[in-house]
Amino acid sequence: MSNSGRFLGVAPPILAVAILVPAILTMTAALSAAPARAAERPPITVDSVAGAYLAGGHAAATGDPEAAASFYAHALEADPANTTLVREVFRARMRAGALDEALAQARRLAEASPREPAAQALLVVEAVRTGDFADALDRLAGVERTGVAALTAPLLEAWLRLGAGEGEAATAALDPLRERTGLAAITGFHEGLMLEWVGQPDAARAAFEAALSEGRATRLVKALVRLNLRQGDVDAARALLSDGAGGEAGPDPLLAPERAAAEAGETLPPLIDAPADGVAEALYQIGDILSREGATDLGLLYAHYALHLRPDLAPARASLGDILLASNRPAAALEAYRAVDAGSAVGWAARLRETEALRSLGRTADAEATLQDLAETRPESTEPLVALGDLRRSDSRFEAAVGAYDAAYERAPDRLSADWRFLYRRGIALERAGDWDRAEADLTRAISIQPDEPHLLNYLGYSWIDRGKNLAEGEELIRRAVEQMPDDGYIVDSLGWAYYRTGRISRAVETLERAVELRPADAVINDHLGDAYWMVGREREARFQWRRALGLAGEDEADLVLELEKKLADGLTDPGILEDSVSRNAADD
């Protein structure tokens, strides 16, 4: 039995989170899930309000907000006083990024219900865009500061007051955030930007440094490095850039402009040119945080708000692509990534992420060609080749994946030999390609670096058990994985398979039944349970599990299909139990 399906992605996101805020987790529990991927569908003809409404709901549910907006607008034309339709048109246009078109509905909703948060937020953003900070403040005052608004409103109020010329009131507006646990980093970052804009560089530097003590984040490091360079403190800028530069992923590519300026002794402008830029920065960061914590719908709105103010804000554009990709809208994500300024710091990362959108669209050849082009463009970078290996591995082209991983390793052997994620991924490709000796070496080294990663423990432990070697060590690794993730069906299955292979069949049945409960649609797990049933004389149930496994087997599981067909025809002729372990473990069964 192979380890097919047992790998869970470990690659960190390419586009760095602006500032991670632990407290945000408590603010997003009730947010709606992302829409499903848009599917190919025939045109829908509607001849009634009800038909248009239903068609709009269908389009919204299948991840096509542009079509949803069109259908809902069609229904609204026939029933212009219907507030429900106004709201649906607004929401669909917001999800589609058509904020200019959504303004009319936002004004109607705000008049009908002053506490309509998304509509009021758009009107606040529009007021900032037109320079009417007083109107923006009036509208913000009507927003109830609960949930995510407890974070958003103070940040926006601070920037709005700065735009209205109320400098002291601006920093005071941040006070509610200072009292909340986990928000010191984002508060200090924005306070530093404000102080820098009003001409207080020393105070700004102190605010940035205080924020940095709460956690290193790319946008924060950018701001402080740029300020240091403008103050002539090149040594401080270089020291800040070198701190953490030798990590697993190497130097942060998003700090490339700052590194180049520091090396040349040049300066760079601040991250913001005006208070409206600060509002956009806050909206982008909050949206990025929300989306990475799973609140993709709300994160999408914030990304659109930010880009409505600053269409040239490249990190927000790239973050929008990430959110759309996470929302199963790869075509829209591809468009967003390709709209990122190629010369910006995030341009490179956006092109890498573009390949994931292409892959999701079934354009694997285009994705592979893009990655190879990126690898040639930056011969010192390992990222495109590692991504190429990931792409090939996901397509079950394991030997080709190993080739890409090996090419990446040749570019940075010292760094990648210390990167457990890389070793894990290459180890999987090697194991599936049949090169067990190299795979074992990579997986063993990965565990020596990261000894408590449950999926890594499970993969090596299962591989050992399935090969009949290092049985005690393999089972111990799996047990450690189960302790950490007792409800992971793959890991529970590995423990059940360890019991089976070592002759503890009763325990195997009990454990594998639990694994099937957790992962009922996995072919290998159902096959394992069938084998265990056969060995305890439950042959009818065994054949049921094998038939079920056969129906679940994927196109890349041809070997498993052949095994299942043989078992259904002849029964289990080769139990696969390690005879030398049966007597040793019989007392435990």
Side-chain angles (χ1 to χ4, degrees), residues 21-30 289 292-293:
V21 183
I24 201 77
L25 289 169
T26 63
M27 301 180 179
T28 60
I289 294 165
R292 292 183 188 281
E293 298 300 342

mmCIF file of all heavy atoms in Angstrom, residues 21-30 289 292-293:
data_model
loop_
_atom_site.group_PDB
_atom_site.id
_atom_site.type_symbol
_atom_site.label_atom_id
_atom_site.label_comp_id
_atom_site.label_asym_id
_atom_site.label_seq_id
_atom_site.Cartn_x
_atom_site.Cartn_y
_atom_site.Cartn_z
ATOM 1 N N VAL A 21 -2.257 39.215 13.821
ATOM 2 C CA VAL A 21 -2.888 39.673 15.040
ATOM 3 C C VAL A 21 -3.645 38.508 15.667
ATOM 4 O O VAL A 21 -4.703 38.127 15.191
ATOM 5 C CB VAL A 21 -3.871 40.837 14.758
ATOM 6 C CG1 VAL A 21 -4.457 41.358 16.054
ATOM 7 C CG2 VAL A 21 -3.156 41.950 14.010
ATOM 8 N N PRO A 22 -3.112 37.913 16.748
ATOM 9 C CA PRO A 22 -3.791 36.770 17.344
ATOM 10 C C PRO A 22 -5.235 37.071 17.728
ATOM 11 O O PRO A 22 -6.109 36.215 17.605
ATOM 12 C CB PRO A 22 -2.926 36.471 18.583
ATOM 13 C CG PRO A 22 -1.579 37.017 18.246
ATOM 14 C CD PRO A 22 -1.842 38.234 17.405
ATOM 15 N N ALA A 23 -5.503 38.284 18.182
ATOM 16 C CA ALA A 23 -6.850 38.612 18.647
ATOM 17 C C ALA A 23 -7.882 38.550 17.540
ATOM 18 O O ALA A 23 -9.080 38.485 17.803
ATOM 19 C CB ALA A 23 -6.853 40.002 19.273
ATOM 20 N N ILE A 24 -7.450 38.577 16.288
ATOM 21 C CA ILE A 24 -8.406 38.571 15.179
ATOM 22 C C ILE A 24 -9.203 37.271 15.145
ATOM 23 O O ILE A 24 -10.315 37.233 14.639
ATOM 24 C CB ILE A 24 -7.663 38.772 13.845
ATOM 25 C CG1 ILE A 24 -8.640 39.290 12.762
ATOM 26 C CG2 ILE A 24 -7.041 37.509 13.344
ATOM 27 C CD1 ILE A 24 -8.978 40.707 12.882
ATOM 28 N N LEU A 25 -8.630 36.201 15.722
ATOM 29 C CA LEU A 25 -9.313 34.909 15.693
ATOM 30 C C LEU A 25 -10.670 34.972 16.378
ATOM 31 O O LEU A 25 -11.610 34.314 15.964
ATOM 32 C CB LEU A 25 -8.434 33.857 16.382
ATOM 33 C CG LEU A 25 -7.183 33.438 15.623
ATOM 34 C CD1 LEU A 25 -6.289 32.614 16.527
ATOM 35 C CD2 LEU A 25 -7.545 32.663 14.386
ATOM 36 N N THR A 26 -10.762 35.780 17.441
ATOM 37 C CA THR A 26 -12.016 35.859 18.172
ATOM 38 C C THR A 26 -13.039 36.718 17.465
ATOM 39 O O THR A 26 -14.194 36.760 17.854
ATOM 40 C CB THR A 26 -11.769 36.434 19.571
ATOM 41 O OG1 THR A 26 -11.276 37.775 19.438
ATOM 42 C CG2 THR A 26 -10.759 35.594 20.327
ATOM 43 N N MET A 27 -12.632 37.413 16.411
ATOM 44 C CA MET A 27 -13.529 38.337 15.730
ATOM 45 C C MET A 27 -14.168 37.739 14.498
ATOM 46 O O MET A 27 -15.022 38.357 13.882
ATOM 47 C CB MET A 27 -12.767 39.601 15.317
ATOM 48 C CG MET A 27 -12.129 40.345 16.468
ATOM 49 S SD MET A 27 -11.259 41.798 15.844
ATOM 50 C CE MET A 27 -10.635 42.487 17.381
ATOM 51 N N THR A 28 -13.743 36.535 14.081
ATOM 52 C CA THR A 28 -14.154 36.038 12.772
ATOM 53 C C THR A 28 -14.969 34.762 12.812
ATOM 54 O O THR A 28 -15.238 34.172 11.778
ATOM 55 C CB THR A 28 -12.901 35.773 11.917
ATOM 56 O OG1 THR A 28 -12.100 34.793 12.581
ATOM 57 C CG2 THR A 28 -12.097 37.028 11.711
ATOM 58 N N ALA A 29 -15.383 34.324 13.973
ATOM 59 C CA ALA A 29 -16.010 33.004 14.075
ATOM 60 C C ALA A 29 -17.305 32.890 13.294
ATOM 61 O O ALA A 29 -17.637 31.827 12.777
ATOM 62 C CB ALA A 29 -16.275 32.679 15.550
ATOM 63 N N ALA A 30 -18.053 33.976 13.180
ATOM 64 C CA ALA A 30 -19.367 33.890 12.547
ATOM 65 C C ALA A 30 -19.372 34.276 11.078
ATOM 66 O O ALA A 30 -20.430 34.411 10.479
ATOM 67 C CB ALA A 30 -20.350 34.790 13.303
ATOM 68 N N ILE A 289 -5.363 39.610 6.867
ATOM 69 C CA ILE A 289 -5.461 38.819 8.093
ATOM 70 C C ILE A 289 -6.736 37.988 8.100
ATOM 71 O O ILE A 289 -6.723 36.784 8.378
ATOM 72 C CB ILE A 289 -5.419 39.737 9.334
ATOM 73 C CG1 ILE A 289 -4.053 40.419 9.458
ATOM 74 C CG2 ILE A 289 -5.724 38.944 10.598
ATOM 75 C CD1 ILE A 289 -4.038 41.584 10.423
ATOM 76 N N ARG A 292 -6.645 35.011 5.705
ATOM 77 C CA ARG A 292 -5.737 33.937 6.128
ATOM 78 C C ARG A 292 -6.272 33.189 7.338
ATOM 79 O O ARG A 292 -5.819 32.095 7.635
ATOM 80 C CB ARG A 292 -4.348 34.506 6.396
ATOM 81 C CG ARG A 292 -3.677 34.996 5.115
ATOM 82 C CD ARG A 292 -2.259 35.488 5.367
ATOM 83 N NE ARG A 292 -1.733 36.115 4.174
ATOM 84 C CZ ARG A 292 -1.248 35.463 3.133
ATOM 85 N NH1 ARG A 292 -1.234 34.145 3.134
ATOM 86 N NH2 ARG A 292 -0.784 36.115 2.080
ATOM 87 N N GLU A 293 -7.220 33.783 8.034
ATOM 88 C CA GLU A 293 -7.861 33.080 9.145
ATOM 89 C C GLU A 293 -9.158 32.415 8.701
ATOM 90 O O GLU A 293 -9.931 31.937 9.519
ATOM 91 C CB GLU A 293 -8.135 34.048 10.305
ATOM 92 C CG GLU A 293 -6.894 34.684 10.905
ATOM 93 C CD GLU A 293 -5.926 33.662 11.467
ATOM 94 O OE1 GLU A 293 -6.343 32.503 11.710
ATOM 95 O OE2 GLU A 293 -4.750 34.009 11.658
#
